[in-house]
Amino acid sequence: MLAACCLSALALVTGGVRARADTVSPDGKVHVTYWDKWISGYEGTAIETTVAAFNHSQARIVVDYYITSQIDRKTIIATAGGDPPDIAGLWAQNVSTFADAEALTPLDSFIEKGGLTKEQWLSRYYPVFARICQHGGHVYAGISTPATMALYWNKTMFREAGLDPDRPPRTLAEFNDDCRRLTRRDPKTGALAQVGFLPQEPGWWPWAFCCWFGGSMFDGHSVTLATNPHNVEAMRWMQGFTSQNGLSDVKTFSSYFGPWASPTAPFFTGKLAMVIQGVWYDGYIAQYKPGLDYGVGPWPEAVPGVRDFGMAEADILTIPRGARNPGAAWEFIKYVNSSNPQARTRDELQGAELLDFLQEKLSPLRVWSPYFAQHHPNAHIAVFRKLAESPHIVCIPDMGTWWEYYREILSAFDKVRLLEATPEQALAYSQERLDESWARYRLSLERHGQAANVAAITPP
Amino acid sequence: MNKRERRRLRLGLAFTGLWIVGIGTFTAWPVIASLYYSFCDYSILKAPVWSGLENYRELIHDDLFWKSLRNTLFYAGLSVPLGTVVALSLALLLNCEVRGRSLFRLFFYLPSIVPMVASAMLWLWIFNGQFGLLNWALAPLLAPFGLHPPAWLVDPLWAKPALVIMSLWGVGNAMVIYLAGLQDVPRELYEAASIDGATGWRKFWHVTLPLLAPVIYFNLIMALISSLQIFTQAYIMSEAANGNGTVSDGNPARSTLFYTIYLFTVAFYDLRMGYASAMAYVLFLITVLLTWLATRAARSRLQHLN
């Protein structure tokens, strides 16, 4: 009943929201409310510094930054209540769902007012980040912090296993072989003492492993989770880590793992030799395991000929529907999605490069200034940049039911790695649920008169 | 209605008006509105579209609805009786005349006022496979039999029992109510039972328990209702122990996907508020049904007491 009350209380305050002209405060400035998730540490400092730099760069707009946890849910509730922030720092996963829910303001008209076509604006980004910004032919987001994922390996563990610490595995076969050589058991108890790799650590991207094997999640019209044989192959590979090491042993071993961003994370404690992680991981290694001897490289070649497979994610900046100052909000988004390509000193860095330099991440823009490229604090930034440029990089599919899809993949992955089902069974079950969900979603769009959205995703 | 009565009515309304407006706006209206939304395709930001019984029909065919219901009933089925036995046992012990009784009462009550999030973080460590206090205690006991303690929160088989064990942490409230109930048991009944030759167990069975029956009934109903709404500890612990951290799905392998977690996920991740409203009403009906069954089962004993 409590849940029912909460849901309806939200609904009570819904309505009467529309884009409007910016509101000038008594101090003669437009105050933009900006919610984002960066709490503290170097990532929090980075966004605060970027906001301050924007505020100093002009005299008309003041961006007020508010740290907001569970940003996506709070944004949707505030938008439903007619009092959203001017800018919401969401995740890439939110774009399609929020856009279809009519929670976001399209940015197309702002881009055009600035004298660029949508295509010109998007062409400034690496293609994968341009894809993340769009849904249904409209631009709904700017990028705040982009990320690509790479292979991290512990050089000390490689050395101890008799492997070349400066040569990460280049093919899947080498990767599997290295994993075997890096796996050790306690001579007394026989329990696992260290392993080469476990797909459940951190366990965020089993879908990306499917794509790594040549699979796909969505063909633009239909769910392809169980129908693409490469997805099954990838799941079988993931299951292998449990079946080879023993279910009970893996469970006991992995129960030792602390949270990924803590000193007890298995990669930091020397229990896990290799992990797929994002560009942010260097910063966390410096924080939780300073002095760790590690390397960063591309994903090994799983599909013959594809040597630059990668996966991208991003934090995004959006203007929720009903924002009080959409024009001023766009000015900030534009600032964060631009840079000074001539920057030769730290002080000359602007927008995207300033934020991403301080966050030790890559820029989503194709053109990097000399200072950003040559003095980047992340020693491995070139690896992540190369992955962003790759034609084989993937990101989450552009579909409004992604959260549900993601949960289904995680569930299938859990069943497979815990040997509760074969990959075929687990994926078939999820496919059935997702087909139903996708049909229901299309029906819902039709019911709400969003014919254009339906046409874009209806099977030909 | 005469002038005086009208004045009294106005005065009464003046005192209760704020409450009436508050409960009307924030409770009564949402309850009614959510009933309507449960028959709609509704996602907060777009106008609700009437879809009849579609949400309820879909619930019947939704595997996750049934799985979350089974998980919740499993949890309630274990935690409610276990919690009752532990709370009552503690109350009986703390009712004994021992030195430092108030201090013991304080210690046993204290955990129930610790915020749930803090408790969950603490229990995460207690259940940790390597550093956990529980496995540290269990390991030497199981070792002679060649057994190892379970991996608790990362094992689908043991994740729910782990949460049941954790639920005992919060029995302090029920314990205090039992203690209050025990104060009301007339001493002369115990004296009469002693004269009749009753021992401690017989006194408990024939005097204490029957006279505590209304209190037990009250605590059972409250525990049942709260266990059917288990959310916070499961939400925090299943995510933290299994590392996904981005979406709540009752990890591992949906073994801790409880009803309210599924409802929350459907509502706030999938933005299917109509379906979530239907789930809320079904939970309400289940709670009413189970409460009615418990009342019916307790009725004869309570009538006997009266």
Side-chain angles (χ1 to χ4, degrees), chain A residues 153-164:
Chain A
W153 76 95
N154 183 321
K155 290 187 176 181
T156 307
M157 292 173 75
F158 265 56
R159 217 173 276 120
E160 287 168 358
L163 296 167
D164 181 352

Side-chain angles (χ1 to χ4, degrees), chain B:
Chain B
M1 191 182 283
N2 60 35
K3 193 176 172 184
R4 191 175 167 210
E5 283 171 340
R6 277 199 299 275
R7 214 180 75 188
R8 283 170 65 86
L9 176 66
R10 278 198 299 273
L11 195 64
L13 284 174
F15 276 109
T16 59
L18 199 62
W19 182 85
I20 290 169
V21 170
I23 201 163
T25 308
F26 296 112
T27 303
W29 166 247
V31 166
I32 295 163
S34 65
L35 179 62
Y36 170 69
Y37 294 137
S38 75
F39 295 101
C40 294
D41 179 349
Y42 178 54
S43 66
I44 291 195
L45 283 158
K46 294 183 281 192
V49 177
W50 181 262
S51 60
L53 289 170
E54 186 179 282
N55 289 327
Y56 291 94
R57 275 200 302 271
E58 197 184 323
L59 276 177
I60 294 168
H61 302 291
D62 183 354
D63 278 357
L64 287 193
F65 164 75
W66 292 109
K67 188 176 185 72
S68 65
L69 190 57
R70 277 197 305 274
N71 284 343
T72 307
L73 293 177
F74 176 94
Y75 173 81
L78 279 182
S79 69
V80 173
L82 199 61
T84 303
V85 170
V86 171
L88 186 54
S89 305
L90 285 173
L92 288 167
L93 287 172
L94 295 174
N95 201 37
C96 297
E97 295 289 344
V98 290
R99 185 180 289 179
R101 187 169 66 167
S102 304
L103 211 58
F104 283 121
R105 286 178 177 177
L106 173 72
F107 284 147
F108 280 100
Y109 180 67
L110 218 52
S112 61
I113 55 169
V114 174
M116 187 56 81
V117 175
S119 296
M121 297 310 290
L122 176 70
W123 279 88
L124 265 174
W125 282 105
I126 292 175
F127 286 123
N128 184 284
Q130 184 181 25
F131 312 107
L133 198 63
L134 190 57
N135 280 5
W136 174 78
L138 284 177
L141 297 175
L142 296 174
F145 306 101
L147 298 172
H148 300 286
W152 298 109
L153 297 169
V154 298
D155 188 334
L157 196 64
W158 287 99
K160 273 195 296 288
L163 290 169
V164 171
I165 292 170
M166 188 200 156
S167 71
L168 299 178
W169 180 251
V171 296
N173 283 323
M175 182 194 76
V176 167
I177 296 171
Y178 285 130
L179 263 175
L182 286 170
Q183 314 300 310
D184 282 347
V185 179
R187 290 200 167 274
E188 55 268 30
L189 291 182
Y190 289 120
E191 288 163 8
S194 296
I195 291 167
D196 288 344
T199 58
W201 171 251
R202 280 187 174 273
K203 281 185 201 168
F204 170 73
W205 191 254
H206 293 290
V207 179
T208 310
L209 207 55
L211 288 166
L212 267 186
V215 181
I216 294 172
Y217 166 73
F218 171 78
N219 272 340
L220 266 177
I221 297 298
M222 298 312 287
L224 183 69
I225 291 169
S226 71
S227 65
L228 290 174
Q229 294 179 21
I230 174 178
F231 181 84
T232 312
Q233 60 270 50
Y235 184 81
I236 293 170
M237 293 172 76
S238 73
E239 290 311 304
N242 293 279
N244 286 326
T246 49
V247 60
S248 176
D249 201 28
N251 298 313
R254 288 176 170 159
S255 59
T256 58
L257 182 66
F258 294 111
Y259 197 94
T260 49
I261 290 182
Y262 185 43
L263 189 156
F264 174 79
T265 308
V266 166
F268 291 100
Y269 282 98
D270 302 344
L271 304 182
R272 297 179 61 205
M273 295 291 168
Y275 193 68
S277 296
M279 283 189 71
Y281 268 90
V282 170
L283 180 62
F284 172 67
L285 292 176
I286 290 169
T287 308
V288 168
L289 176 71
L290 290 177
T291 306
W292 177 74
L293 284 174
T295 308
R296 197 177 156 82
R299 188 180 294 158
S300 60
R301 184 167 286 272
L302 293 174
Q303 276 175 347
H304 173 72
L305 277 172
N306 289 335

Side-chain angles (χ1 to χ4, degrees), chain A residues 57 84 112 176 236 276 298 313 450 453:
Chain A
S57 70
E112 283 155 16
N176 292 337
R236 194 170 294 120
I276 297 287
E313 272 189 357
Q450 293 171 287
N453 306 39

Side-chain angles (χ1 to χ4, degrees), chain A residues 248-266:
Chain A
S248 175
D249 287 355
V250 171
K251 269 194 221 168
T252 307
F253 181 65
S254 57
S255 74
Y256 298 169
F257 297 172
W260 71 272
S262 75
T264 54

Side-chain angles (χ1 to χ4, degrees), chain A residues 17-354:
Chain A
V17 285
R18 61 179 186 277
R20 56 190 102 179
D22 295 349
T23 310
V24 179
S25 297
D27 63 2
K29 296 186 175 183
V30 178
H31 282 261
V32 168
T33 312
Y34 169 32
W35 291 3
D36 213 328
K37 62 198 82 65
W38 308 111
I39 299 170
S40 58
Y42 68 98
E43 288 170 318
T45 307
I47 196 70
E48 284 169 7
T49 307
T50 308
V51 167
F54 171 76
N55 289 343
H56 281 105
S57 70
Q58 42 73 53
R60 192 176 69 86
I61 302 163
V62 175
V63 173
D64 298 318
Y65 172 57
Y66 296 94
I67 298 166
T68 310
S69 63
Q70 303 192 2
I71 181 74
D72 48 351
R73 272 157 278 160
K74 285 180 182 166
T75 298
I76 202 84
I77 290 166
T79 307
D83 190 21
D86 295 311
I87 303 168
L90 303 172
W91 286 285
Q93 298 93 305
N94 299 123
V95 175
S96 308
T97 312
F98 277 44
D100 279 346
E102 298 182 345
L104 301 180
T105 306
L107 305 180
D108 305 359
S109 59
F110 296 111
I111 293 168
E112 283 155 16
K113 271 184 203 163
L116 291 179
T117 65
K118 202 170 60 187
E119 290 72 26
Q120 285 170 329
W121 172 262
L122 292 171
S123 67
R124 300 154 52 253
Y125 297 99
Y126 290 117
V128 71
F129 296 118
R131 277 209 300 277
I132 285 172
C133 295
Q134 300 175 79
H135 174 66
H138 298 283
V139 178
Y140 282 101
I143 303 288
S144 61
T145 49
T148 52
M149 320 305 155
L151 176 73
Y152 286 73
W153 76 95
N154 183 321
K155 290 187 176 181
T156 307
M157 292 173 75
F158 265 56
R159 217 173 276 120
E160 287 168 358
L163 296 167
D164 181 352
D166 296 317
R167 187 189 183 284
R170 289 176 188 166
T171 64
L172 189 63
E174 283 183 17
F175 183 83
N176 292 337
D177 190 49
D178 288 356
C179 284
R180 274 190 290 277
R181 295 177 65 175
L182 286 158
T183 299
R184 286 188 180 173
R185 288 178 180 271
D186 185 309
K188 286 182 188 167
T189 62
L192 284 169
Q194 68 174 55
V195 297
F197 179 80
L198 281 179
Q200 63 265 40
E201 185 55 35
W204 299 330
W205 308 299
W207 66 270
F209 292 136
C210 293
C211 297
W212 182 32
F213 273 66
S216 67
M217 299 291 108
F218 184 59
D219 64 7
H221 301 289
S222 312
V223 172
T224 57
L225 185 61
T227 55
N228 189 315
H230 299 296
N231 295 341
V232 180
E233 192 190 343
M235 283 284 176
R236 194 170 294 120
W237 173 77
M238 290 184 243
Q239 193 172 47
F241 289 92
T242 307
S243 50
Q244 283 158 21
N245 292 311
L247 175 61
S248 175
D249 287 355
V250 171
K251 269 194 221 168
T252 307
F253 181 65
S254 57
S255 74
Y256 298 169
F257 297 172
W260 71 272
S262 75
T264 54
F267 188 71
F268 301 159
T269 55
K271 291 189 179 299
L272 196 64
M274 291 185 283
V275 67
I276 297 287
Q277 265 289 5
V279 62
W280 56 77
Y281 208 47
D282 285 78
Y284 286 93
I285 292 172
Q287 184 177 352
Y288 294 114
K289 191 67 178 175
L292 181 73
D293 190 11
Y294 70 100
V296 180
W299 299 51
E301 184 182 325
V303 175
V306 179
R307 292 182 182 167
D308 51 357
F309 175 84
M311 196 272 273
E313 272 189 357
D315 288 70
I316 55 167
L317 297 176
T318 59
I319 303 177
R321 194 180 84 180
R324 286 191 172 78
N325 304 296
W330 165 249
E331 290 302 320
F332 180 70
I333 293 176
K334 191 168 74 176
Y335 174 79
V336 176
N337 283 261
S338 307
S339 68
N340 171 15
Q342 312 302 327
R344 293 192 176 277
T345 65
R346 158 71 180 76
D347 291 342
E348 287 175 5
L349 291 178
Q350 286 178 10
E353 290 195 344
L354 175 61

